[in-house]
Amino acid sequence: MLLCGPSGSGKSLLAARSGLPVLRLDDFYKEATDPTLPQVAGSSDIDWDHPDSWDADTAVAAITDLCRTGRTNVPVYDISLSARTGEDTIDIGRTPLFIAEGIFAAEIVGRCRELGVLADALCLSRGSVTTFRRRFLRDLKEGRNSVPFLLRRGWRLMRDERSIVARQTALGAHACDKDEAMGRLAAAAAGRCATARTPA
């Protein structure tokens, strides 16, 4: 199950409440020293909301490993440092379904479908004002960046939220609220998801 949505839309909370194993796609961010990181237009800020700030190839490889072997190694990423601080092993055993969640999950819908490992793809949407508030309070609590940076980023993402959701749905994710998302997760876990190709 791929779970995407704007930053702050509640993906991590929903994934945790599902009771399914979770692969955190945010752990596949590039490090701050990577010369390929994109910048916000007209600014010196790194654009951490651009897909080029993320290592899609490594994320897809980890998803494929989990689907085929039930085990994979993943980086441990500290967002406050914008750096990988180690490596961890995820072992889901014979669990037939897991969630891969992150703001860039929609970017790999097509690749996961082609590989035969996609059960469903959901885009969680809660409204731009609610998302702005949740995102700012979370990022402030976790010390993810300076307050001016968080406010600039938050204002930009609030303005862009409709286009973010539109892009993710165009890439193949189904836009829904948390209640519908939980229903589709339950259906997939029960093997009733129409888009499922393999037990992954």
Side-chain angles (χ1 to χ4, degrees), residues 11 19-20 33 69 82 84 89 124 137 168-169 175 182-183 189:
K11 299 179 294 299
L20 295 169
T33 54
T69 71
S82 301
R84 296 180 180 184
T89 299
L124 193 60
L137 292 175
Q168 294 182 350
T169 55
M182 287 298 291

Side-chain angles (χ1 to χ4, degrees), residues 10-186:
K11 299 179 294 299
S12 298
L13 182 60
L14 186 143
R17 287 179 174 173
S18 73
L20 295 169
V22 178
L23 175 66
R24 287 174 25 92
L25 295 179
D26 283 356
D27 283 329
F28 296 90
Y29 266 114
K30 296 176 182 177
E31 297 191 273
T33 54
D34 193 312
T36 67
L37 284 171
Q39 288 187 323
V40 176
S43 168
S44 60
D45 291 342
I46 294 173
D47 189 352
W48 294 108
D49 300 287
H50 192 287
D52 287 347
S53 68
W54 186 66
D55 187 351
D57 291 340
T58 306
V60 170
I63 289 170
T64 304
D65 283 347
L66 278 178
C67 287
R68 294 178 178 167
T69 71
R71 183 182 177 91
T72 192
N73 293 325
V74 296
V76 175
Y77 194 92
D78 188 326
I79 289 180
S80 67
L81 299 175
S82 301
R84 296 180 180 184
T85 59
E87 188 176 78
D88 198 5
T89 299
I90 295 180
D91 190 337
I92 65 171
R94 299 179 62 83
T95 304
L97 191 76
F98 68 93
I99 296 174
E101 65 90 5
I103 63 172
F104 300 125
E107 303 294 324
I108 57 175
V109 168
R111 292 172 65 176
C112 288
R113 183 177 290 118
E114 289 173 4
L115 290 165
V117 297
L118 182 66
D120 202 358
L122 307 178
C123 172
L124 193 60
S125 178
R126 302 178 65 135
S128 58
V129 175
T130 298
T131 302
F132 173 89
R133 183 176 65 252
R134 286 175 52 88
R135 176 176 53 242
F136 180 75
L137 292 175
R138 176 203 66 194
D139 292 353
L140 190 64
K141 179 181 179 181
E142 296 179 3
R144 293 191 173 194
N145 218 307
S146 67
V147 171
F149 178 92
L150 296 179
L151 289 172
R152 290 195 302 272
R153 176 179 182 249
W155 176 248
R156 174 169 50 83
L157 291 178
M158 186 170 70
R159 293 196 323 264
D160 294 345
E161 181 150 333
R162 285 188 180 181
S163 63
I164 292 169
V165 172
R167 173 181 170 78
Q168 294 182 350
T169 55
L171 288 169
H174 172 73
C176 56
D177 61 18
K178 61 183 177 65
D179 292 332
E180 184 181 356
M182 287 298 291
R184 288 177 72 110
L185 286 169

